[in-house]
Amino acid sequence: MNPRYRCLVLDHDDTVVNSTLEVNYPNMLDSLAILRPQATLTLEEFIEGNSDPGFNDWVRQRFGYTQQEVEWHYEFWRSNVMKRRPSMAPGMPAFLTRYHRAGGIICVATHSMRQMIEADYRTNCGFLPDYMNCWEEPAGHRKPNPYPVQEALRRFDLRPADVLVVDDLGPGLQMAEAAGVDFAAALWCCTTPKMEQLLSARANYVFRAV
């Protein structure tokens, strides 16, 4: 492999791992059964709500969650997602391993927790990313803020042309645009026509398979 980009800044959920279908959507339905038993939620609504306006604002708007309920849901989700981790997208472990061996720099910009990312990479690839920007970071350092890309540029002495952001949702696209780097739409796990249209119109690349 002779990488076109020296560094990949990868989203995690539904880019590297199949989280929505295997874990997050079922978990959301379980939490609604407790907090809002009369509520209904389609998969498409769940995907798009996570992109815009983002999960916490979306559950407040869509279901009237209080801050206490948002915090309860987070703990409910965290306790469940560590019990059963989602599988990696088909072809992803082999690709990441080849890219890593070729000297590529692997960074992660995600709204998942660090322990999840570390568990998934150790289990499926046998190594950890070179840099991880996860949910534990201050809000102003998480995507869509350009900070994760800017930090990768600084840490590894890179130029913007060296970096490709790969993500399945709007916050990753916004981060790439704000940082002035290329963006690839990852449409191989779980998406909707609305998200495909949004990402495809502004992405440098649109990929439907790893």
Side-chain angles (χ1 to χ4, degrees):
M1 180 185 284
N2 183 22
R4 159 68 178 84
Y5 294 93
R6 291 178 57 198
C7 174
L8 298 179
V9 178
L10 299 168
D11 174 47
H12 198 65
D13 291 324
D14 297 310
T15 296
V16 171
V17 295
N18 291 294
S19 7
T20 290
L21 287 176
E22 295 182 11
V23 177
N24 289 341
Y25 179 58
N27 183 270
M28 183 68 199
L29 296 180
D30 289 343
S31 69
L32 282 176
I34 297 169
L35 296 178
R36 298 290 187 274
Q38 304 305 315
T40 59
L41 176 67
T42 68
L43 177 61
E44 187 169 297
E45 288 173 329
F46 180 70
I47 294 169
E48 293 175 1
N50 272 282
S51 180
D52 183 19
F55 182 81
N56 286 351
D57 289 337
W58 170 68
V59 291
R60 288 189 181 99
Q61 295 172 15
R62 176 74 169 75
F63 300 107
Y65 273 23
T66 64
Q67 180 59 31
Q68 184 179 9
E69 287 174 325
V70 170
E71 293 171 2
W72 179 90
H73 174 88
Y74 176 72
E75 293 302 326
F76 180 82
W77 168 78
R78 187 173 68 169
S79 66
N80 284 306
V81 295
M82 287 310 298
K83 294 175 185 175
R84 179 178 179 271
R85 296 301 302 143
S87 62
M88 276 199 173
M92 184 61 73
F95 167 75
L96 291 175
T97 299
R98 289 175 58 220
Y99 184 77
H100 178 70
R101 288 175 178 169
I105 299 165
I106 297 175
C107 300
V108 175
T110 180
H111 289 168
S112 287
M113 296 184 300
R114 179 177 295 269
Q115 67 180 127
M116 299 175 185
I117 314 309
E118 292 179 348
D120 293 339
Y121 273 83
R122 282 198 177 102
T123 299
N124 294 281
C125 302
F127 61 84
L128 293 178
D130 299 287
Y131 164 60
M132 290 179 279
N133 181 286
C134 305
W135 185 254
E136 292 86 347
E137 294 284 334
H141 285 184
R142 299 193 299 259
K143 65 181 180 182
N145 190 289
Y147 177 87
V149 174
Q150 293 169 344
E151 182 64 7
L153 295 174
R154 185 191 69 80
R155 287 190 182 209
F156 304 108
D157 192 24
L158 300 168
R159 302 167 300 133
D162 295 326
V163 177
L164 178 68
V165 171
V166 185
D167 205 309
D168 70 303
L169 292 177
L173 170 63
Q174 295 167 37
M175 175 181 68
E177 291 177 337
V181 301
D182 285 352
F183 176 81
L187 303 181
W188 50 70
C189 279
C190 192
T191 188
T192 71
K194 179 180 177 180
M195 290 311 307
E196 287 195 26
Q197 182 178 13
L198 168 68
L199 298 180
S200 299
R202 291 156 60 182
N204 299 93
Y205 309 96
V206 177
F207 296 134
R208 298 184 182 278
V210 172

